[in-house]
Amino acid sequence: KSESLSLLLSVKKEKKKLIEICIKNMKSSRFDLDKRISDNILKKIRSNWISSYFSNIKNKTIFSVKIRNKLIGLLCIKKEKENIIIDLITLKKNFSGKGIGKKMINFLEFKFANYKNILVGTYRENKAANIFYKNNGFKKYKSYEVYHYYEK
């Protein structure tokens, strides 16, 4: 049952709530799993990440995900050549597992049908994300290591 789900371009007045949703609901990224990254640094990373989408950068777009006009998630994409890249996708925990993520992917496929691919990168250890993308038709095409640099 889709309770009037909508994905709309995010507006600046939603920025604080979008950052909050990102901080509270993302728990399995490579930053979360790296025990050397403090909660404060993690919050800064998330805040800067979302804020960058409000900097009028031509190839970056953020969508607010709403049910009955209530903000429940976000979807950040980048447009690169013939590809749409999912940079970040998250929902409030109580909306997870209800088919909304699948509808978000379907939205991208429809809205950006003129692009060749929809790509996403995720951390190997983020099992839930890997299962989600596989269940939504994504196929692994490349794997690489990402390292974090720590200043002393």
Side-chain angles (χ1 to χ4, degrees):
K1 158 179 148 180
S2 105
E3 307 178 51
S4 65
L5 180 72
S6 60
L7 279 90
L8 305 165
L9 284 175
S10 300
V11 293
K12 237 185 175 102
K13 70 178 184 177
E14 296 172 321
K15 182 170 135 179
K16 189 176 176 185
K17 282 186 179 177
L18 292 166
I19 290 169
E20 188 178 301
I21 287 171
C22 185
I23 289 170
K24 285 185 177 176
N25 297 282
M26 289 188 70
K27 299 293 178 204
S28 301
S29 77
R30 63 188 171 98
F31 302 110
D32 296 290
L33 299 174
D34 187 331
K35 300 303 175 207
R36 293 175 284 185
I37 297 177
S38 71
D39 285 348
N40 283 339
I41 297 293
L42 192 54
K43 285 178 183 176
K44 279 184 189 167
I45 290 169
R46 300 250 198 276
S47 180
N48 291 339
W49 195 347
I50 299 303
S51 295
S52 75
Y53 277 84
F54 290 93
S55 302
N56 294 326
I57 298 171
K58 191 177 175 187
N59 72 326
K60 294 175 90 172
T61 306
I62 183 169
F63 295 96
S64 294
V65 183
K66 298 180 179 184
I67 288 185
R68 291 186 311 278
N69 238 7
K70 181 177 165 56
L71 189 59
I72 63 157
L74 59 125
L75 173 61
C76 298
I77 63 159
K78 294 179 185 176
K79 298 171 194 161
E80 291 186 6
K81 297 178 184 158
E82 57 199 12
N83 301 316
I84 293 295
I85 299 167
I86 298 172
D87 191 34
L88 194 147
I89 181 171
T90 193
L91 291 168
K92 288 184 175 181
K93 288 291 178 231
N94 50 326
F95 291 94
S96 186
K98 298 179 190 270
I100 297 169
K102 182 172 191 54
K103 289 178 179 153
M104 294 164 74
I105 300 298
N106 292 343
F107 165 83
L108 286 179
E109 291 171 338
F110 177 77
K111 180 151 180 78
F112 299 101
N114 55 329
Y115 283 78
K116 186 175 178 185
N117 300 299
I118 297 175
L119 306 174
V120 65
T122 191
Y123 197 51
R124 185 180 304 123
E125 280 75 17
N126 188 344
K127 303 290 186 222
N130 283 288
I131 291 167
F132 169 78
Y133 291 120
K134 187 176 181 187
N135 288 345
N136 282 283
F138 287 79
K139 292 177 180 34
K140 182 176 173 180
Y141 85 99
K142 184 166 64 170
S143 181
Y144 57 90
E145 299 294 323
V146 175
Y147 298 94
H148 295 165
Y149 171 77
Y150 303 94
E151 292 183 2
K152 295 186 188 234

